[in-house]
Amino acid sequence: MKVYKFGGTSVGSPERFRALIPLISDGETKIVVLSAMAGTTNTLVDISGLYSSGDKPGAEEMTRQLREKYHAVARELFSSSTWSEKASDLIEEHFGYISGLFSREYSRHNEKRIIARGELLSTGLLHLLLTEEGIPSCLIPALNFMRIDKDGEPDYFYIRENLKRELAAVKNEKIIITQGFICRNVSGETDNLRRGGSDYSATIIGAAIGAGEVQIWTDISGLHNNDPRYVENTRVVRSLSFSEAAELAFFGAKILHPSSINPARMKNIPVRLKNTMEPGDEGTLITSETTLEDYTAVAAKDGITAIRIRSDRMLMAYGFMRRIFEAFEAFRTPIDMITTSEVSVSLTIEDPTYLDEIVKSLSSIGHVEVDRDQTIICVVGDFRPDRVGSAPEIFEALNEISVKMISYGGSDHSVSILINTTDKITALRALNEKLFAQKA
Ligand code: ADP
Ligand code: ASP
Ligand code: MG
């Protein structure tokens, strides 16, 4: 069985919804994981923001506008009034649910319940559309099987057992539709896998059922060798290893959720990235095979905070690192990059929630400096220890930019470089020119 995931733009309009029909009704059995229609989750987050700040009229108005948008989609999507009325009932049910929550006290759980409506709507609409077209399909609720544990990690045992039960109940169906992104947390409440999480849902499902392949369908023909939002003349990377793809996803290649490769790698399930607008394009295939290009691709991750701890007492002393790491562990804050010298340690974090507490705790060890608005550039390529030379093209490309940290040698297939976010676009373009364009 295969898993197909369609992202927001792939269900972004009535036309795009219709374009899914031939892709999923080829006679093969598949689980179809859908995101919310493009823009919906952003609007639901905004609605929740108004609700949490006590602006109920504002939240009501934004909800009304989104509801109208859905009614307009439904009017265009269905051919007969019977099915557009069913769609209208579905839309009213979900938006009625949201409005119903506004009369209650704000809570994080109610916010998550609101944010979950996007995927519930898109899957409901696709199911109705296929039924109108006479194509058999069924809907299995992600909230019946997708679950995260107390650390926010997928609870694979629970997922496998419950998904198995759900699938057994629909064993003759060829098209099994479910929601991406949404799940239950350890308390059984509605939750989600973080923004962009439908990719993660697809690979978790793939791993749970031992799928033959997971296909991520989006608005671009595969993973490009640089960020196409900032750089021109980027090219599709035809094949990538799980490690390379995981690194690129983690360090900002938005086409994949940062954690989405892990489940596929765990079970050695190929992941194919495809374009719903150009279904004939080959796209990118991610497997356990390493490509071994000098340079494969570049990605960038913003919102990074750098912390530097300096202490002369560090010289020739032991136990410093442990004390530094303990400060981060105490506040459950992961470290991304780290470089050291005899008397200082520089490291980066993504989540600044406990920054003040961490800095306070580190101040007992040495002098602490903090730099916000930093970006990590990740260059994926062949950096095995026996590579000859130290990738001079990377540093030539970044000649005009202030490089804050470099992490080389930690990974066989990537180098990370910390720069100011204001230099990001210049850096990405310069790297594209040096690593790819000049070599083409
Ligand atoms: P979906 O809604 O289908 O999940 P996303 O917007 O999450 O789609 O991901 C697709 C987008 O990722 C592309 O439109 C592109 O702008 C962006 N992107 C960023 N980096 C890359 C990259 N290296 N390769 C391909 N796309 C990328
Ligand atoms: N709809 C969710 C989001 O916008 C999940 C996803 O698109 O993958 O973040
Ligand atoms: Mg996405």
Side-chain angles (χ1 to χ4, degrees):
M1 197 184 317
K2 286 186 181 166
V3 179
Y4 281 35
K5 175 260 167 173
F6 294 96
T9 41
S10 304
V11 291
S13 66
E15 190 198 354
R16 299 260 45 94
F17 254 111
R18 293 199 150 272
L20 302 191
I21 299 175
L23 300 178
I24 57 180
S25 53
D26 57 0
E28 272 190 48
T29 305
K30 57 179 69 69
I31 299 184
V32 175
V33 178
L34 288 195
S35 298
M37 290 181 73
T40 295
T41 310
N42 285 346
T43 308
L44 293 171
V45 168
D46 291 346
I47 289 170
S48 305
L50 292 168
Y51 166 44
S52 78
S53 67
D55 183 358
K56 288 187 183 169
E60 288 280 11
E61 175 53 22
M62 203 179 273
T63 305
R64 189 191 63 74
Q65 287 173 14
L66 189 62
R67 172 195 252 144
E68 276 319 304
K69 210 176 116 186
Y70 271 87
H71 281 302
V73 167
R75 279 194 295 273
E76 224 183 301
L77 189 56
F78 296 92
S79 320
S80 73
S81 56
T82 317
W83 292 95
S84 65
E85 275 163 27
K86 284 187 199 291
S88 182
D89 291 346
L90 175 87
I91 294 164
E92 284 305 304
E93 181 198 322
H94 286 293
F95 284 95
Y97 180 89
I98 297 177
S99 301
L101 290 176
F102 295 153
S103 55
R104 297 205 220 154
E105 191 78 11
Y106 167 82
S107 70
R108 288 284 293 163
H109 185 209
N110 284 343
E111 175 171 336
K112 299 277 176 64
R113 286 167 154 157
I114 292 174
I115 293 172
R117 296 296 120 187
E119 273 68 14
L120 292 166
L121 277 158
S122 58
T123 46
L125 288 174
L126 180 67
H127 182 46
L128 288 177
L129 177 65
L130 291 172
T131 315
E132 181 183 39
E133 294 289 316
I135 301 167
S137 71
C138 66
L139 200 51
I140 58 170
L143 296 181
N144 285 2
F145 64 87
M146 191 58 82
R147 193 175 173 114
I148 47 175
D149 63 18
K150 63 178 184 3
D151 299 317
E153 294 294 321
D155 180 343
Y156 282 104
F157 180 75
Y158 182 96
I159 295 167
R160 230 180 358 254
E161 292 303 306
N162 287 280
L163 182 54
K164 212 191 310 170
R165 195 198 57 232
E166 292 288 323
L167 291 176
V170 296
K171 65 175 182 302
N172 295 322
E173 298 285 352
K174 293 248 181 269
I175 304 175
I176 302 147
I177 307 166
T178 192
Q179 298 83 25
F181 180 56
I182 64 175
C183 63
R184 289 195 188 276
N185 61 26
V186 72
S187 315
E189 295 168 344
T190 303
D191 209 319
N192 61 62
L193 300 172
R194 295 186 289 134
R195 296 305 306 273
S198 300
D199 305 329
Y200 199 18
S201 304
T203 53
I204 293 170
I205 291 171
I209 63 165
E213 185 170 291
V214 174
Q215 298 191 356
I216 310 267
W217 289 79
T218 182
D219 59 356
I220 189 163
S221 297
L223 192 136
H224 280 219
N225 59 358
N226 207 321
D227 196 322
R229 292 169 298 176
Y230 308 112
V231 180
E232 281 174 17
N233 303 322
T234 57
R235 287 198 301 270
V236 179
V237 181
R238 293 262 169 259
S239 57
L240 278 170
S241 69
F242 289 125
S243 305
E244 292 166 329
E247 206 99 39
L248 289 164
F250 183 75
F251 285 112
K254 187 185 175 242
I255 187 169
L256 285 170
H257 178 280
S259 308
S260 59
I261 291 300
N262 296 341
R265 173 165 44 189
M266 207 166 68
K267 291 283 166 119
N268 198 15
I269 296 169
V271 177
R272 205 180 279 279
L273 309 181
K274 299 274 289 175
N275 188 348
T276 25
M277 259 96 67
E278 300 290 345
D281 283 0
E282 203 180 315
T284 299
L285 180 63
I286 304 166
T287 62
S288 55
E289 306 265 315
T290 306
T291 43
L292 294 185
E293 294 280 339
D294 272 0
Y295 302 107
T296 306
V298 177
K301 181 171 173 170
D302 295 336
I304 302 293
T305 303
I307 304 166
R308 187 161 189 238
I309 309 110
R310 217 189 120 78
S311 168
D312 292 337
R313 281 178 289 143
M314 235 162 117
L315 197 66
M316 308 293 281
Y318 52 83
F320 257 96
M321 286 296 188
R322 179 182 47 75
R323 291 178 61 198
I324 289 173
F325 288 146
E326 274 171 1
F328 290 86
E329 198 182 338
F331 296 101
R332 298 171 67 90
T333 301
I335 297 167
D336 283 338
M337 265 178 91
I338 175 157
T339 60
T340 67
S341 80
E342 261 312 300
V343 291
S344 66
V345 177
S346 293
L347 36 79
T348 68
I349 58 170
E350 195 187 350
D351 177 5
T353 314
Y354 297 105
L355 182 63
D356 291 345
E357 289 84 346
I358 290 170
V359 168
K360 191 163 171 243
S361 158
L362 291 173
S363 300
S364 66
I365 309 175
H367 175 71
V368 183
E369 285 166 35
V370 173
D371 262 338
R372 292 174 188 265
D373 300 323
Q374 303 291 294
T375 290
I376 295 177
I377 302 266
C378 172
V379 180
V380 162
D382 178 11
F383 300 107
R384 287 171 302 166
D386 51 2
R387 173 183 172 133
V388 178
S390 58
E393 294 89 349
I394 297 179
F395 302 102
E396 280 163 25
L398 301 179
N399 228 357
E400 306 284 310
I401 283 167
S402 102
V403 170
K404 311 294 209 57
M405 281 170 73
I406 300 167
S407 175
Y408 187 112
S411 155
D412 280 0
H413 49 257
S414 76
V415 169
S416 307
I417 298 142
L418 189 76
I419 60 169
N420 289 320
T421 301
T422 46
D423 289 331
K424 175 177 87 169
I425 296 178
T426 315
L428 287 177
R429 290 180 182 162
L431 285 165
N432 209 54
E433 186 58 29
K434 201 83 192 169
L435 308 189
F436 307 118
Q438 287 182 8
K439 294 199 152 194

